[in-house]
Amino acid sequence: APLIPNYTGMQFKKLLEDKFKIPCEVENDVNCAGLAEYRSGAAKGSHVALILTIGTGIGGSIIMDGEVYHGFSNSACEVGYMHMNDSDFQTLGAASILDGYYIFEEAKKGDKLCLLAIDEMVDILGEGIANICYVINPEVVVLGGGIMAQEQFLKERVECAVKRYLVSSIEEHTKIVFAKHQNDAGMLGAFYHFCSLH
């Protein structure tokens, strides 16, 4: 990503091991969250899990039989960049309202504009999740990130949105759940990843 100067190609593992003289492993943050949810969270026991972290952006991870699917060049499941409606999934579906506690509170009180904004966001999430499900056919879809704070308000809405876009033969075999490990998922998954290599 161009956000951090000189980031691309930086050898974090070597830099940290040389400086601190301890073993180090490097893995994508959403892949780590996915490992945590697979090993001891909401995707435990599944064969194919899709983990999405939805906050200011949308990140994705695919876990197949306990292994992160990395793709050919370690870029699998970069779903935030998926093209949708002349934009991309994360621009449309991760809308900054996920950080907007106020908008959810007003929606819960019945504010029509806030409800409309949330419904539009949820519809995009449903469409995006369905599109990914058509490709990888996951057993379970785990939703994490900033969206978790609104599980009670959003769970049924997201399930209904996914149902709108998925054919019934797939939808009936796809479970939508919210992440168990919440903000600790990335750190816990990094630990699992490290342990699997040492």
Side-chain angles (χ1 to χ4, degrees), residues 3-36:
L3 301 174
I4 305 170
N6 304 315
Y7 170 78
T8 302
M10 184 180 288
Q11 297 181 358
F12 282 109
K13 177 177 165 67
K14 184 177 186 318
L15 285 169
L16 291 171
E17 287 184 336
D18 288 351
K19 174 142 181 93
F20 297 106
K21 310 297 184 219
I22 57 172
C24 172
E25 298 300 337
V26 178
E27 179 57 277
N28 172 278
D29 58 341
V30 186
N31 287 341
C32 287
L35 276 173

Side-chain angles (χ1 to χ4, degrees), residues 3 14 31 54 70 78 107 121 131 140 142 147 160 195 197:
L3 301 174
K14 184 177 186 318
N31 287 341
I54 304 165
H70 289 98
E78 290 288 348
M121 178 200 70
N131 285 340
V140 62
V142 181
I147 198 174
C160 288
C195 289
L197 298 171

Side-chain angles (χ1 to χ4, degrees), residues 37-46 140:
E37 292 300 327
Y38 174 81
R39 293 274 179 91
S40 59
K44 187 173 182 178
S46 63
V140 62

Side-chain angles (χ1 to χ4, degrees), residues 22-198:
I22 57 172
C24 172
E25 298 300 337
V26 178
E27 179 57 277
N28 172 278
D29 58 341
V30 186
N31 287 341
C32 287
L35 276 173
E37 292 300 327
Y38 174 81
R39 293 274 179 91
S40 59
K44 187 173 182 178
S46 63
H47 292 289
V48 181
L50 167 66
I51 293 82
L52 297 176
T53 56
I54 304 165
T56 51
I58 298 180
S61 175
I62 301 167
I63 310 290
M64 294 184 178
D65 293 319
E67 299 291 324
V68 173
Y69 177 71
H70 289 98
F72 175 67
S73 64
N74 292 314
S75 299
C77 215
E78 290 288 348
V79 297
Y81 299 116
M82 188 168 61
H83 292 279
M84 292 178 68
N85 305 335
D86 297 323
S87 186
D88 59 59
F89 189 27
Q90 63 189 0
T91 300
L92 297 171
S96 55
I97 66 166
L98 283 174
D99 294 327
Y101 175 81
Y102 168 81
I103 290 177
F104 278 97
E105 289 309 299
E106 292 305 303
K108 290 170 190 173
K109 294 176 194 170
D111 183 288
K112 289 181 181 173
L113 277 177
C114 293
L115 279 166
L116 180 63
I118 290 168
D119 285 345
E120 287 176 358
M121 178 200 70
V122 167
D123 188 66
I124 291 291
L125 288 178
E127 185 179 356
I129 291 167
N131 285 340
I132 302 164
C133 288
Y134 282 124
V135 177
I136 67 166
N137 186 211
E139 181 179 346
V140 62
V141 177
V142 181
L143 305 179
I147 198 174
M148 290 179 306
Q150 304 297 335
E151 176 180 357
Q152 209 169 6
F153 187 73
L154 290 177
K155 188 172 192 322
E156 193 175 328
R157 285 174 166 85
V158 172
E159 286 173 340
C160 288
V162 171
K163 193 171 188 173
R164 271 197 300 278
Y165 291 103
L166 265 184
V167 296
S168 60
S169 59
I170 298 176
E171 185 271 327
E172 288 165 5
H173 298 284
T174 308
K175 189 165 59 170
I176 309 286
V177 297
F178 278 65
K180 176 182 174 185
H181 291 301
Q182 302 183 6
N183 291 331
D184 292 332
M187 192 163 43
L188 181 58
F191 171 73
Y192 287 146
H193 171 69
F194 182 86
C195 289
S196 72
L197 298 171
H198 292 272

